[in-house]
Amino acid sequence: MPEPTSEQLKSWDRTFLWHAFTQMAEYEPLIIDRAAGCVLTDIDGREYIDGISSLWCNIHGHRHPKLDAAIRQQLDRVAHVTSLGSSNPTTIKLARRLVDITPDGLEHVFFSDDGATAVEVAVKRALQYWRQCDNPRPEKTRYVALGEAYHGDTVGSVSVGGIEQFHAVYRPLLFETLRVPAPDTYRTPEGVSAEGLLDYHLDQMQRVLAEHHEQIAAVVLEPLVQGAAGMIMHPPGYLRGVRELTKKYDVLLIADEVAVAFGRTGRMFACEHENVTPDVLCLAKGITGGYLPLAATLTTEEIYRAFLGDYSESKTFFHGHTYGGNPLGAAVALAGLDVFEEEQTLKKLTQKIARLGEHLERISRLPHVGDVRQRGLIGAVELVKDEATKEPYPWTEKRGIRVCDHSRTEGVLLRPLGNVIIIMPPLAISLAQLDRITRAIENGIRAATC
Ligand SMILES: *Cc1c(COP(=O)(O)O)cnc(C)c1O
């Protein structure tokens, strides 16, 4: 068979492929054929800077020689080994390395394949822990999660999620979660000052824990930044405060660092900013540098011990995914961690973070920009209809999409969240590329808000 033409591919793409989070009736094919560094090339030869790290997962750029080589070397040994009762050297080395680099106290690694499964594992494990720990508390079966939370798309992770537009339709399938408002530094509750915001939100959390802690297995949250909510950024001290409250009320803390880990916030893990060790840590997206699906759920010794016992006691964690801990994924993850050291990725980030800050400062002065926010190499620009009242544009007007459509014509690939433009490039981005991304956004905003 001859190779399909570019027109055929576009037609087949529309006909046969059902894309994630995409209204297929309106889908316009964008077909990436190859990439190098932070630049993607489509089948017609057009180039785009990858402004969203191929959905927040690419770290060191595409086709990094070291990462490519790691996969080829692993291929020469074995492509897949099941983690159900067996192992392989590469996956073992990665588990040990993750225990080394994550916050102290996280000692055991369970591998799965995506962010949602990492969270699903965390949720199930928390409940089982309370049944099997030294002083069993089987009534602890409920979860606390934040407003607008996003933890993935499986039924358990959607249950702890709180994004109405995505999650409402599935409500009949979901378990009920206790909800605490997101500590949003832009849309603050009426009558609460910026200085009072932290105390207000910790008090909200405290009230729910005080009332229901006997039934609560865990608090689940995205530390520092709530990604899919539109990069809601928490006031400093919130994570630390929630950690203290969960200890006080004997509730586990599950930190979903799927979006923020691996250098995104300027530190390897977001929890490091507030010196927090959660009881459970979920990792995915950046773990393989954006190469292969792999996820990890780390837990403390105390949780792990509650699952040990004689086979007949049925304390086993009855959960697994066929490809969990896949050695190809583990190999590229290990190589990615080497690259962090060899290329001093975190050290080099300081300058890029500062540059992004300067650009955001300039963008903040454009009409209809209600807020700009930044944490490390995560940037967000929120468009509003009215800056004074913060009244949003109706989502049906697709202002965010229009800005990103414009950016695409300038060779910059972005994907908005409603009215929020997300800037989430690979950590390997150059200063010149950052300049181009932000310039395309500026022009896009002018075109889409006039
Ligand atoms: C993307 C994301 C997930 C889900 O990860 P998938 O790999 O898409 O399943 C979970 N939590 C957070 C915070 C995320 O950003």
Side-chain angles (χ1 to χ4, degrees):
M1 270 231 299
E3 276 299 304
T5 63
S6 123
E7 283 320 303
Q8 273 173 321
L9 283 171
K10 286 174 196 167
S11 157
W12 294 354
D13 186 21
R14 276 206 204 85
T15 311
F16 301 118
L17 256 180
W18 191 339
H19 289 267
F21 277 99
T22 300
Q23 177 42 258
M24 292 309 295
E26 298 180 356
Y27 171 66
E28 283 299 327
L30 169 66
I31 310 176
I32 303 301
D33 180 56
R34 55 198 183 273
C38 300
V39 176
L40 308 165
T41 305
D42 74 12
I43 49 169
D44 298 319
R46 271 189 297 264
E47 294 188 338
Y48 309 89
I49 298 176
D50 188 355
I52 46 162
S53 300
S54 297
L55 233 288
W56 316 354
C57 60
N58 192 285
I59 302 280
H60 304 297
H62 298 267
R63 290 195 36 227
H64 191 290
K66 180 116 195 183
L67 304 195
D68 290 11
I71 294 177
R72 292 200 178 97
Q73 280 162 18
Q74 182 62 44
L75 258 183
D76 285 338
R77 306 190 78 83
V78 60
H80 181 60
V81 174
T82 177
S83 78
L84 280 64
S86 64
S87 204
N88 80 92
T90 312
T91 308
I92 296 167
K93 283 190 270 182
L94 179 62
R96 184 183 163 157
R97 189 88 173 260
L98 289 174
V99 168
D100 274 351
I101 63 170
T102 49
D104 282 347
L106 297 167
E107 309 283 355
H108 302 275
V109 186
F110 185 95
F111 286 113
S112 62
D113 37 29
D114 273 293
T117 54
V119 172
E120 203 77 27
V121 166
V123 164
K124 286 174 72 179
R125 187 172 282 166
L127 177 134
Q128 196 174 346
Y129 164 76
W130 287 114
R131 296 179 165 252
Q132 299 177 183
C133 61
D134 290 342
N135 297 305
R137 310 275 301 274
E139 67 289 352
K140 278 164 106 52
T141 58
R142 305 186 73 186
Y143 298 83
V144 179
L146 300 181
E148 276 79 55
Y150 179 78
H151 297 291
D153 296 326
T154 57
V155 170
S157 59
V158 169
S159 294
V160 289
I163 298 187
E164 272 305 295
Q165 197 193 356
F166 302 167
H167 298 155
V169 63
Y170 305 111
R171 185 134 307 131
L173 294 177
L174 308 179
F175 58 77
E176 213 185 304
T177 296
L178 295 159
R179 194 69 56 187
V180 170
D184 183 340
T185 40
Y186 177 51
R187 294 180 189 279
T188 51
E190 223 181 291
V192 178
S193 67
E195 301 74 49
L197 191 69
L198 176 63
D199 286 345
Y200 171 85
H201 281 291
L202 287 176
D203 183 57
Q204 296 282 315
M205 181 63 81
Q206 155 119 24
R207 281 161 195 259
V208 170
L209 292 178
E211 189 177 344
H212 300 287
H213 65 95
E214 308 224 326
Q215 292 94 44
I216 298 173
V219 171
V220 188
L221 56 70
E222 296 161 79
L224 310 192
V225 182
Q226 289 183 233
M231 302 301 163
I232 291 179
M233 302 203 181
H234 299 169
Y238 184 73
L239 176 63
R240 175 89 244 153
V242 172
R243 174 69 283 193
E244 279 157 17
L245 287 171
T246 50
K247 283 209 167 127
K248 175 174 168 193
Y249 287 103
D250 215 6
V251 162
L252 299 179
L253 176 64
I254 299 173
D256 174 358
E257 288 219 25
V258 169
V260 292
F262 299 103
R264 229 348 112 187
T265 64
R267 307 282 293 264
M268 201 60 164
F269 299 98
C271 284
E272 290 175 26
H273 289 273
E274 305 209 348
N275 250 316
V276 159
T277 299
D279 299 289
V280 185
L281 175 68
C282 303
L283 303 173
K285 291 196 170 100
I287 193 170
T288 62
Y291 268 59
L292 285 168
L294 183 78
T297 308
L298 285 89
T299 40
T300 57
E301 185 64 27
E302 185 180 341
I303 292 178
Y304 180 70
R305 254 191 293 115
F307 288 76
L308 302 179
D310 192 75
Y311 186 70
S312 61
E313 287 178 84
S314 246
K315 287 184 172 179
T316 307
F317 186 49
F318 291 108
H319 185 113
H321 299 274
T322 304
Y323 287 98
N326 172 267
L328 290 171
V332 72
L334 273 170
L337 294 176
D338 288 341
V339 171
F340 264 103
E341 288 176 11
E342 286 158 19
E343 297 185 2
Q344 303 222 300
T345 307
L346 290 182
K347 195 157 161 244
K348 286 187 193 150
L349 217 50
T350 316
Q351 207 186 1
K352 302 175 193 182
I353 291 169
R355 179 72 68 100
L356 177 59
E358 289 160 24
H359 285 303
L360 287 173
E361 162 64 27
R362 195 179 64 253
I363 291 173
S364 74
R365 294 194 288 268
L366 290 176
H368 294 288
V369 173
D371 189 33
V372 298
R373 26 186 195 269
Q374 181 186 10
R375 189 85 208 215
L377 208 59
I378 304 172
V381 178
E382 178 157 350
L383 303 177
V384 289
K385 192 163 176 188
D386 184 322
E387 288 169 60
T389 62
K390 304 183 182 178
E391 183 193 345
Y393 278 117
W395 64 273
T396 47
E397 290 182 14
K398 301 205 273 191
R399 300 280 176 168
I401 293 175
R402 282 155 64 182
V403 173
C404 297
D405 284 349
H406 178 92
S407 305
R408 212 192 271 191
T409 66
E410 295 195 15
V412 171
L413 189 66
L414 297 167
R415 187 174 164 88
L417 288 160
N419 292 320
V420 183
I421 315 304
I422 308 302
I423 307 167
M424 195 92 156
L427 304 190
I429 197 86
S430 71
L431 292 175
Q433 286 169 326
L434 259 184
D435 297 349
R436 276 198 52 202
I437 293 172
T438 45
R439 202 174 319 128
I441 290 174
E442 262 179 298
N443 294 338
I445 291 172
R446 287 203 187 87
T449 59
C450 55

PDB file of all heavy atoms in Angstrom, residues 93-117:
ATOM      1  N   LYS A  93      15.477  -0.225  39.781  1.00  0.00           N
ATOM      2  CA  LYS A  93      16.353   0.944  39.949  1.00  0.00           C
ATOM      3  C   LYS A  93      15.537   2.232  40.015  1.00  0.00           C
ATOM      4  O   LYS A  93      15.842   3.141  40.786  1.00  0.00           O
ATOM      5  CB  LYS A  93      17.374   1.014  38.799  1.00  0.00           C
ATOM      6  CG  LYS A  93      18.513   0.010  38.959  1.00  0.00           C
ATOM      7  CD  LYS A  93      19.613   0.274  37.943  1.00  0.00           C
ATOM      8  CE  LYS A  93      19.346  -0.510  36.673  1.00  0.00           C
ATOM      9  NZ  LYS A  93      20.387  -0.359  35.646  1.00  0.00           N
ATOM     10  N   LEU A  94      14.477   2.296  39.205  1.00  0.00           N
ATOM     11  CA  LEU A  94      13.655   3.508  39.219  1.00  0.00           C
ATOM     12  C   LEU A  94      12.938   3.660  40.568  1.00  0.00           C
ATOM     13  O   LEU A  94      12.864   4.763  41.118  1.00  0.00           O
ATOM     14  CB  LEU A  94      12.627   3.493  38.076  1.00  0.00           C
ATOM     15  CG  LEU A  94      11.720   4.720  38.059  1.00  0.00           C
ATOM     16  CD1 LEU A  94      12.510   6.019  37.856  1.00  0.00           C
ATOM     17  CD2 LEU A  94      10.635   4.596  36.991  1.00  0.00           C
ATOM     18  N   ALA A  95      12.424   2.547  41.096  1.00  0.00           N
ATOM     19  CA  ALA A  95      11.729   2.620  42.390  1.00  0.00           C
ATOM     20  C   ALA A  95      12.674   3.174  43.458  1.00  0.00           C
ATOM     21  O   ALA A  95      12.329   4.089  44.216  1.00  0.00           O
ATOM     22  CB  ALA A  95      11.218   1.235  42.785  1.00  0.00           C
ATOM     23  N   ARG A  96      13.878   2.648  43.471  1.00  0.00           N
ATOM     24  CA  ARG A  96      14.844   3.091  44.472  1.00  0.00           C
ATOM     25  C   ARG A  96      15.177   4.578  44.277  1.00  0.00           C
ATOM     26  O   ARG A  96      15.264   5.348  45.231  1.00  0.00           O
ATOM     27  CB  ARG A  96      16.105   2.243  44.346  1.00  0.00           C
ATOM     28  CG  ARG A  96      17.046   2.625  45.413  1.00  0.00           C
ATOM     29  CD  ARG A  96      18.352   1.967  45.419  1.00  0.00           C
ATOM     30  NE  ARG A  96      19.136   2.827  46.285  1.00  0.00           N
ATOM     31  CZ  ARG A  96      20.195   2.473  46.923  1.00  0.00           C
ATOM     32  NH1 ARG A  96      20.621   1.245  46.807  1.00  0.00           N
ATOM     33  NH2 ARG A  96      20.825   3.324  47.692  1.00  0.00           N
ATOM     34  N   ARG A  97      15.347   4.972  43.039  1.00  0.00           N
ATOM     35  CA  ARG A  97      15.686   6.374  42.746  1.00  0.00           C
ATOM     36  C   ARG A  97      14.556   7.319  43.172  1.00  0.00           C
ATOM     37  O   ARG A  97      14.808   8.396  43.719  1.00  0.00           O
ATOM     38  CB  ARG A  97      15.942   6.474  41.243  1.00  0.00           C
ATOM     39  CG  ARG A  97      16.496   7.761  40.747  1.00  0.00           C
ATOM     40  CD  ARG A  97      18.015   7.761  40.813  1.00  0.00           C
ATOM     41  NE  ARG A  97      18.536   8.958  40.170  1.00  0.00           N
ATOM     42  CZ  ARG A  97      19.020   8.974  38.919  1.00  0.00           C
ATOM     43  NH1 ARG A  97      19.081   7.864  38.229  1.00  0.00           N
ATOM     44  NH2 ARG A  97      19.446  10.099  38.394  1.00  0.00           N
ATOM     45  N   LEU A  98      13.319   6.907  42.941  1.00  0.00           N
ATOM     46  CA  LEU A  98      12.188   7.759  43.325  1.00  0.00           C
ATOM     47  C   LEU A  98      12.112   7.909  44.839  1.00  0.00           C
ATOM     48  O   LEU A  98      11.835   8.993  45.365  1.00  0.00           O
ATOM     49  CB  LEU A  98      10.868   7.198  42.774  1.00  0.00           C
ATOM     50  CG  LEU A  98      10.688   7.311  41.252  1.00  0.00           C
ATOM     51  CD1 LEU A  98       9.410   6.603  40.806  1.00  0.00           C
ATOM     52  CD2 LEU A  98      10.646   8.779  40.801  1.00  0.00           C
ATOM     53  N   VAL A  99      12.365   6.813  45.558  1.00  0.00           N
ATOM     54  CA  VAL A  99      12.370   6.894  47.023  1.00  0.00           C
ATOM     55  C   VAL A  99      13.460   7.861  47.475  1.00  0.00           C
ATOM     56  O   VAL A  99      13.256   8.666  48.394  1.00  0.00           O
ATOM     57  CB  VAL A  99      12.548   5.493  47.650  1.00  0.00           C
ATOM     58  CG1 VAL A  99      12.856   5.586  49.141  1.00  0.00           C
ATOM     59  CG2 VAL A  99      11.297   4.652  47.414  1.00  0.00           C
ATOM     60  N   ASP A 100      14.607   7.841  46.801  1.00  0.00           N
ATOM     61  CA  ASP A 100      15.717   8.746  47.140  1.00  0.00           C
ATOM     62  C   ASP A 100      15.357  10.208  46.955  1.00  0.00           C
ATOM     63  O   ASP A 100      15.718  11.043  47.775  1.00  0.00           O
ATOM     64  CB  ASP A 100      16.926   8.464  46.224  1.00  0.00           C
ATOM     65  CG  ASP A 100      17.791   7.346  46.770  1.00  0.00           C
ATOM     66  OD1 ASP A 100      17.548   6.920  47.915  1.00  0.00           O
ATOM     67  OD2 ASP A 100      18.694   6.893  46.043  1.00  0.00           O
ATOM     68  N   ILE A 101      14.687  10.538  45.846  1.00  0.00           N
ATOM     69  CA  ILE A 101      14.538  11.962  45.509  1.00  0.00           C
ATOM     70  C   ILE A 101      13.233  12.584  46.007  1.00  0.00           C
ATOM     71  O   ILE A 101      13.135  13.803  46.078  1.00  0.00           O
ATOM     72  CB  ILE A 101      14.667  12.226  43.982  1.00  0.00           C
ATOM     73  CG1 ILE A 101      13.553  11.520  43.194  1.00  0.00           C
ATOM     74  CG2 ILE A 101      16.047  11.784  43.468  1.00  0.00           C
ATOM     75  CD1 ILE A 101      13.509  11.949  41.725  1.00  0.00           C
ATOM     76  N   THR A 102      12.241  11.767  46.354  1.00  0.00           N
ATOM     77  CA  THR A 102      10.969  12.329  46.833  1.00  0.00           C
ATOM     78  C   THR A 102      11.127  12.706  48.310  1.00  0.00           C
ATOM     79  O   THR A 102      12.082  12.298  48.966  1.00  0.00           O
ATOM     80  CB  THR A 102       9.814  11.330  46.662  1.00  0.00           C
ATOM     81  OG1 THR A 102      10.226  10.061  47.190  1.00  0.00           O
ATOM     82  CG2 THR A 102       9.430  11.164  45.204  1.00  0.00           C
ATOM     83  N   PRO A 103      10.180  13.496  48.846  1.00  0.00           N
ATOM     84  CA  PRO A 103      10.300  13.924  50.246  1.00  0.00           C
ATOM     85  C   PRO A 103      10.515  12.739  51.204  1.00  0.00           C
ATOM     86  O   PRO A 103       9.971  11.646  50.990  1.00  0.00           O
ATOM     87  CB  PRO A 103       8.949  14.613  50.505  1.00  0.00           C
ATOM     88  CG  PRO A 103       8.543  15.142  49.167  1.00  0.00           C
ATOM     89  CD  PRO A 103       9.031  14.127  48.176  1.00  0.00           C
ATOM     90  N   ASP A 104      11.318  12.974  52.230  1.00  0.00           N
ATOM     91  CA  ASP A 104      11.653  11.936  53.218  1.00  0.00           C
ATOM     92  C   ASP A 104      10.404  11.292  53.792  1.00  0.00           C
ATOM     93  O   ASP A 104       9.448  11.991  54.114  1.00  0.00           O
ATOM     94  CB  ASP A 104      12.414  12.563  54.395  1.00  0.00           C
ATOM     95  CG  ASP A 104      13.864  12.811  54.018  1.00  0.00           C
ATOM     96  OD1 ASP A 104      14.298  12.284  52.973  1.00  0.00           O
ATOM     97  OD2 ASP A 104      14.537  13.553  54.761  1.00  0.00           O
ATOM     98  N   GLY A 105      10.444   9.991  53.932  1.00  0.00           N
ATOM     99  CA  GLY A 105       9.311   9.303  54.559  1.00  0.00           C
ATOM    100  C   GLY A 105       8.492   8.516  53.555  1.00  0.00           C
ATOM    101  O   GLY A 105       7.717   7.644  53.937  1.00  0.00           O
ATOM    102  N   LEU A 106       8.660   8.814  52.266  1.00  0.00           N
ATOM    103  CA  LEU A 106       7.973   8.020  51.239  1.00  0.00           C
ATOM    104  C   LEU A 106       8.918   6.891  50.838  1.00  0.00           C
ATOM    105  O   LEU A 106      10.009   7.135  50.333  1.00  0.00           O
ATOM    106  CB  LEU A 106       7.596   8.900  50.046  1.00  0.00           C
ATOM    107  CG  LEU A 106       6.600  10.005  50.410  1.00  0.00           C
ATOM    108  CD1 LEU A 106       6.488  11.050  49.302  1.00  0.00           C
ATOM    109  CD2 LEU A 106       5.222   9.412  50.707  1.00  0.00           C
ATOM    110  N   GLU A 107       8.513   5.657  51.103  1.00  0.00           N
ATOM    111  CA  GLU A 107       9.471   4.543  51.064  1.00  0.00           C
ATOM    112  C   GLU A 107       9.123   3.450  50.050  1.00  0.00           C
ATOM    113  O   GLU A 107       9.933   2.578  49.790  1.00  0.00           O
ATOM    114  CB  GLU A 107       9.553   3.876  52.453  1.00  0.00           C
ATOM    115  CG  GLU A 107       9.783   4.834  53.603  1.00  0.00           C
ATOM    116  CD  GLU A 107      11.218   5.315  53.697  1.00  0.00           C
ATOM    117  OE1 GLU A 107      12.070   4.824  52.920  1.00  0.00           O
ATOM    118  OE2 GLU A 107      11.482   6.193  54.526  1.00  0.00           O
ATOM    119  N   HIS A 108       7.901   3.434  49.545  1.00  0.00           N
ATOM    120  CA  HIS A 108       7.480   2.325  48.683  1.00  0.00           C
ATOM    121  C   HIS A 108       6.752   2.855  47.462  1.00  0.00           C
ATOM    122  O   HIS A 108       5.931   3.767  47.570  1.00  0.00           O
ATOM    123  CB  HIS A 108       6.584   1.356  49.475  1.00  0.00           C
ATOM    124  CG  HIS A 108       7.276   0.809  50.678  1.00  0.00           C
ATOM    125  ND1 HIS A 108       8.109  -0.285  50.641  1.00  0.00           N
ATOM    126  CD2 HIS A 108       7.309   1.259  51.954  1.00  0.00           C
ATOM    127  CE1 HIS A 108       8.612  -0.506  51.833  1.00  0.00           C
ATOM    128  NE2 HIS A 108       8.138   0.410  52.661  1.00  0.00           N
ATOM    129  N   VAL A 109       7.058   2.243  46.324  1.00  0.00           N
ATOM    130  CA  VAL A 109       6.552   2.756  45.048  1.00  0.00           C
ATOM    131  C   VAL A 109       5.663   1.714  44.375  1.00  0.00           C
ATOM    132  O   VAL A 109       6.082   0.567  44.186  1.00  0.00           O
ATOM    133  CB  VAL A 109       7.722   3.070  44.080  1.00  0.00           C
ATOM    134  CG1 VAL A 109       7.198   3.735  42.810  1.00  0.00           C
ATOM    135  CG2 VAL A 109       8.776   3.930  44.757  1.00  0.00           C
ATOM    136  N   PHE A 110       4.472   2.121  44.018  1.00  0.00           N
ATOM    137  CA  PHE A 110       3.570   1.266  43.240  1.00  0.00           C
ATOM    138  C   PHE A 110       3.442   1.898  41.855  1.00  0.00           C
ATOM    139  O   PHE A 110       3.060   3.063  41.733  1.00  0.00           O
ATOM    140  CB  PHE A 110       2.193   1.208  43.917  1.00  0.00           C
ATOM    141  CG  PHE A 110       1.235   0.256  43.258  1.00  0.00           C
ATOM    142  CD1 PHE A 110       1.095  -1.044  43.714  1.00  0.00           C
ATOM    143  CD2 PHE A 110       0.457   0.673  42.172  1.00  0.00           C
ATOM    144  CE1 PHE A 110       0.207  -1.925  43.097  1.00  0.00           C
ATOM    145  CE2 PHE A 110      -0.426  -0.203  41.549  1.00  0.00           C
ATOM    146  CZ  PHE A 110      -0.548  -1.499  42.017  1.00  0.00           C
ATOM    147  N   PHE A 111       3.739   1.132  40.823  1.00  0.00           N
ATOM    148  CA  PHE A 111       3.695   1.695  39.475  1.00  0.00           C
ATOM    149  C   PHE A 111       2.375   1.375  38.773  1.00  0.00           C
ATOM    150  O   PHE A 111       1.859   0.253  38.861  1.00  0.00           O
ATOM    151  CB  PHE A 111       4.831   1.126  38.623  1.00  0.00           C
ATOM    152  CG  PHE A 111       6.185   1.682  38.964  1.00  0.00           C
ATOM    153  CD1 PHE A 111       7.167   0.869  39.520  1.00  0.00           C
ATOM    154  CD2 PHE A 111       6.485   3.028  38.730  1.00  0.00           C
ATOM    155  CE1 PHE A 111       8.422   1.380  39.831  1.00  0.00           C
ATOM    156  CE2 PHE A 111       7.736   3.543  39.040  1.00  0.00           C
ATOM    157  CZ  PHE A 111       8.712   2.717  39.595  1.00  0.00           C
ATOM    158  N   SER A 112       1.866   2.380  38.061  1.00  0.00           N
ATOM    159  CA  SER A 112       0.749   2.132  37.140  1.00  0.00           C
ATOM    160  C   SER A 112       1.081   2.864  35.848  1.00  0.00           C
ATOM    161  O   SER A 112       2.281   3.000  35.540  1.00  0.00           O
ATOM    162  CB  SER A 112      -0.578   2.585  37.765  1.00  0.00           C
ATOM    163  OG  SER A 112      -0.546   3.971  38.022  1.00  0.00           O
ATOM    164  N   ASP A 113       0.078   3.339  35.113  1.00  0.00           N
ATOM    165  CA  ASP A 113       0.419   3.864  33.792  1.00  0.00           C
ATOM    166  C   ASP A 113      -0.051   5.269  33.459  1.00  0.00           C
ATOM    167  O   ASP A 113       0.342   5.811  32.429  1.00  0.00           O
ATOM    168  CB  ASP A 113      -0.041   2.885  32.708  1.00  0.00           C
ATOM    169  CG  ASP A 113      -1.357   2.226  33.051  1.00  0.00           C
ATOM    170  OD1 ASP A 113      -2.147   2.864  33.768  1.00  0.00           O
ATOM    171  OD2 ASP A 113      -1.591   1.079  32.628  1.00  0.00           O
ATOM    172  N   ASP A 114      -0.877   5.880  34.298  1.00  0.00           N
ATOM    173  CA  ASP A 114      -1.345   7.231  33.992  1.00  0.00           C
ATOM    174  C   ASP A 114      -1.662   7.970  35.291  1.00  0.00           C
ATOM    175  O   ASP A 114      -1.812   7.339  36.342  1.00  0.00           O
ATOM    176  CB  ASP A 114      -2.616   7.185  33.130  1.00  0.00           C
ATOM    177  CG  ASP A 114      -2.298   7.102  31.646  1.00  0.00           C
ATOM    178  OD1 ASP A 114      -1.756   8.082  31.114  1.00  0.00           O
ATOM    179  OD2 ASP A 114      -2.573   6.049  31.032  1.00  0.00           O
ATOM    180  N   GLY A 115      -1.813   9.273  35.173  1.00  0.00           N
ATOM    181  CA  GLY A 115      -2.118  10.049  36.364  1.00  0.00           C
ATOM    182  C   GLY A 115      -3.384   9.570  37.053  1.00  0.00           C
ATOM    183  O   GLY A 115      -3.449   9.446  38.278  1.00  0.00           O
ATOM    184  N   ALA A 116      -4.413   9.297  36.263  1.00  0.00           N
ATOM    185  CA  ALA A 116      -5.685   8.858  36.846  1.00  0.00           C
ATOM    186  C   ALA A 116      -5.515   7.558  37.633  1.00  0.00           C
ATOM    187  O   ALA A 116      -6.085   7.406  38.721  1.00  0.00           O
ATOM    188  CB  ALA A 116      -6.725   8.670  35.744  1.00  0.00           C
ATOM    189  N   THR A 117      -4.709   6.658  37.106  1.00  0.00           N
ATOM    190  CA  THR A 117      -4.536   5.384  37.821  1.00  0.00           C
ATOM    191  C   THR A 117      -3.688   5.592  39.071  1.00  0.00           C
ATOM    192  O   THR A 117      -3.911   4.931  40.085  1.00  0.00           O
ATOM    193  CB  THR A 117      -3.920   4.302  36.914  1.00  0.00           C
ATOM    194  OG1 THR A 117      -2.704   4.793  36.343  1.00  0.00           O
ATOM    195  CG2 THR A 117      -4.871   3.886  35.823  1.00  0.00           C
TER     196      THR A 117
END
